[in-house]
Amino acid sequence: MTDASRVDGRSLQRETERIVNEIAQGLRTLDDGVAWFTGLSLAHRQEVLRDVAGYAMQAHITAAGGRAGVTQSGVKPTANPSVMICMDPPRYGFARLPADEHVTAFRVLVSVFTVADTRRRQTYCNGTCGHTWHNLPALTKEP
Ligand SMILES: [Zn+2]
């Protein structure tokens, strides 16, 4: 791997984190995120799917949260990514899904993360946490 591609990987991670959290916090629509996602190369889409699955895991999704996320995502409950996320425990091999299921996987993962993260922001964080991703610049009030 060259230096340039490593730098590229890091900036993709930062972009993924920002976009996914903006969606979770209602600053960006899911469709807008999907438009960004579909513009990426195959390798980058797989990387994003791994990253977002990691966020979902860290947000401690529940089976109920998985189902609520699938409903919000607009993806059919019988689609592979929906079935995987609703398993107990969820199956996380989304990056290994066929390329034509990457968009539905992205929709499901971001929606499930949104459900879990919204619950966490409203309970545990309660507007006073130090999570950088819960304190995005767009949410900061002007003095
Ligand atoms: Zn927080």
Side-chain angles (χ1 to χ4, degrees):
M1 189 181 266
T2 65
D3 281 344
S5 67
R6 272 207 301 276
V7 168
D8 189 40
R10 274 202 300 276
S11 67
L12 178 66
Q13 263 183 351
R14 278 197 300 272
E15 206 174 344
T16 303
E17 182 180 359
R18 182 173 56 82
I19 288 174
V20 169
N21 281 291
E22 283 175 357
I23 296 169
Q25 294 169 41
L27 304 170
R28 184 189 284 270
T29 64
L30 180 56
D31 285 341
D32 191 53
V34 167
W36 166 78
F37 181 75
T38 52
L40 300 173
S41 68
L42 175 67
H44 282 175
R45 288 203 305 271
Q46 289 171 325
E47 207 173 308
V48 168
L49 288 176
R50 277 192 291 270
D51 283 351
V52 183
Y55 301 158
M57 252 184 281
Q58 283 168 17
H60 305 295
I61 62 164
T62 59
R67 285 191 297 273
V70 168
T71 302
Q72 270 189 28
S73 73
V75 176
K76 280 188 293 194
T78 51
N80 281 326
S82 307
V83 172
M84 287 162 69
I85 205 72
C86 288
M87 285 179 163
D88 189 16
R91 253 180 63 204
Y92 281 108
F94 296 94
R96 291 191 298 276
L97 284 167
D100 63 355
E101 294 194 86
H102 284 174
V103 167
T104 48
F106 180 78
R107 280 187 174 278
V108 165
L109 281 171
V110 172
S111 300
V112 166
F113 171 73
T114 296
V115 168
D117 190 66
T118 298
R119 192 188 56 220
R120 184 169 59 167
R121 268 183 279 116
Q122 289 169 348
T123 56
Y124 173 77
C125 296
N126 197 23
T128 58
C129 70
H131 298 137
T132 51
W133 65 93
H134 283 162
N135 296 279
L136 299 174
L139 286 181
T140 308
K141 298 208 169 51
E142 294 297 323

